[in-house]
Amino acid sequence: MEANLRWPLITAFAPIAFGTTYFVTHRYLPADYPLYGAAIRALPAGLLLLLVRRRLPSGEWWWRSLVLGSLNMGAFFALIYLAAQLLPTSVASTIMATSPVGLMLMAWAALSERPQAAHLAGAGIGVAGVCLMLFTGPVAVDARGVLASVAAMTMSSLGYVLAKKWSAGLDVFSLTSWQLIAGGLILLPAAVLVEGAPPVLDAREAVAFTYVTVVATAVAFAAWFTGLRHLSAGTVGLIGLLNPVTGVLLGTAVSGETLGARQVCGLALVLAGVLLGQRRLDRKPAQRRRATGRGRRMEDQRHSLGTTGSRLPSPDPTGDHPRVPTLRHPSG
């Protein structure tokens, strides 16, 4: 059971950390600087991870890093920064919880990962909870913030699926650092052209950017891409529902945002969706272990019989067990 929970627990750190960025951005970071804010978040985090791994891209990974950096880091961070400034913390993080549906559909199309019934049911329940939380609250919703959140969700879903498809054999630190650096380098000239001079940060803002860069970006994305490597995209998407839970709890507990009875019910539905989707994890590893054990026993049996000149067992077309082999005399 502990082995089954290892990768979900590591992955869960990412959406929890992501959920805190809405609160930190809304409360402590300078407004009206989404491009600079995204660049300051991405580039130092990428350089930090590059120092850990000390590996540069090669071959096709130069253009792949630009594509993934644009989708997962560059435009995504800028849109999230904008949404966090325009929307309450609870609302901004809740909209992003619809990402499991987009992630599942794109993984189905690009990776042939057919969604399991538990994943679809969990996503449906979670999205219903999101809608309940979003459209029944007492706070007015800014349409610009909603559009920015939806665009960020769509782009990141595509980027995560491409990262999962392309990253076989590549360590997670390199994969994450190259995307962050590429995204930051794309953002810098855009920030200079659109926003002019960079913002002057006071001590509080510098501390907030340090937290967002190191914890909520470098460490969180390393955990996120680790989860994408070891779990299905549908499972990772459902774990991502912890993002709005974190944002809502911070918004209500720290920022004093109002949470009505219907929003509490929506929060409960989101948690139920996450738990329902994880039930699949308890079965699949055990099934894989049983199948692997059967395969090893068959290989050992074939090897043993082969050394005595016997005929190898062949599968029984009517069942799951191999036919009992017919032994030959060594001289015959």
Side-chain angles (χ1 to χ4, degrees):
M1 185 66 178
E2 292 181 1
N4 295 351
L5 291 176
R6 177 186 177 187
W7 301 121
L9 288 176
I10 291 175
T11 308
F13 175 82
I16 292 173
F18 295 157
T20 65
T21 60
Y22 301 100
F23 168 75
V24 174
T25 301
H26 191 78
R27 174 70 71 90
Y28 298 112
L29 297 186
D32 303 324
Y33 288 95
L35 295 176
Y36 273 117
I40 295 173
R41 178 182 178 183
L43 195 53
L47 293 174
L48 179 63
L49 290 177
L50 186 64
L51 287 175
V52 173
R53 188 62 180 88
R54 298 181 182 273
R55 181 181 178 184
L56 293 175
S58 60
E60 61 190 2
W61 269 105
W62 286 107
W63 67 264
R64 285 183 175 182
S65 298
L66 288 174
V67 172
L68 296 178
S70 300
L71 293 172
N72 294 336
M73 311 299 179
F76 175 74
F77 285 172
L79 291 169
I80 287 298
Y81 195 101
L82 181 62
Q85 295 292 349
L86 295 174
L87 298 173
T89 299
S90 56
V91 174
S93 58
T94 297
I95 296 175
M96 289 300 295
T98 57
S99 61
V101 177
L103 198 55
M104 287 182 195
L105 293 177
M106 290 185 183
W108 192 356
L111 305 176
S112 299
E113 283 189 4
R114 187 182 183 90
Q116 302 293 334
H119 291 156
L120 293 174
I125 292 173
V127 171
V130 168
C131 293
L132 193 60
M133 294 168 68
L134 179 60
F135 298 115
T136 61
V139 181
V141 177
D142 191 317
R144 296 172 300 169
V146 174
L147 289 175
S149 296
V150 172
M153 176 200 66
T154 304
M155 296 177 68
S156 63
S157 295
L158 175 60
Y160 295 152
V161 168
L162 290 177
K164 183 176 176 67
K165 181 177 182 179
W166 290 341
S167 63
L170 181 66
D171 66 279
V172 173
F173 283 136
S174 296
L175 173 67
T176 309
S177 67
W178 298 345
Q179 293 180 71
L180 286 167
I181 292 172
L185 292 176
I186 291 171
L187 284 166
L188 276 179
V192 173
L193 289 174
V194 176
E195 297 173 355
V200 178
L201 304 179
D202 58 26
R204 187 181 68 170
E205 292 169 340
V207 171
F209 264 123
T210 300
Y211 167 79
V212 170
T213 297
V214 177
V215 178
T217 302
V219 179
F221 271 99
W224 185 253
F225 287 116
T226 298
L228 280 171
R229 177 158 300 178
H230 293 278
L231 302 170
S232 70
T235 299
V236 174
L238 284 173
I239 295 174
L241 290 172
L242 294 173
N243 183 323
V245 174
T246 305
V248 168
L249 292 178
L250 280 175
T252 55
V254 182
S255 297
E257 297 174 7
T258 305
L259 193 66
R262 292 183 179 180
Q263 288 180 301
V264 172
C265 292
L267 183 61
L269 286 176
V270 171
L271 289 173
V274 173
L275 294 175
L276 178 61
Q278 301 315 301
R279 290 182 60 189
R280 192 77 186 174
L281 293 174
D282 296 334
R283 299 173 186 165
K284 294 179 75 174
Q287 292 172 353
R288 284 196 295 266
R289 285 195 298 271
R290 286 195 295 269
T292 302
R294 260 198 318 270
R296 288 176 179 170
R297 286 195 296 273
M298 290 178 66
E299 288 296 326
D300 291 342
Q301 186 179 11
R302 289 176 180 174
H303 177 74
S304 176
L305 294 172
T307 58
T308 61
S310 61
R311 187 167 56 202
L312 297 179
S314 57
D316 182 359
T318 62
D320 294 332
H321 303 286
R323 291 200 300 266
V324 177
T326 303
L327 299 180
R328 293 179 176 179
H329 192 276
S331 62

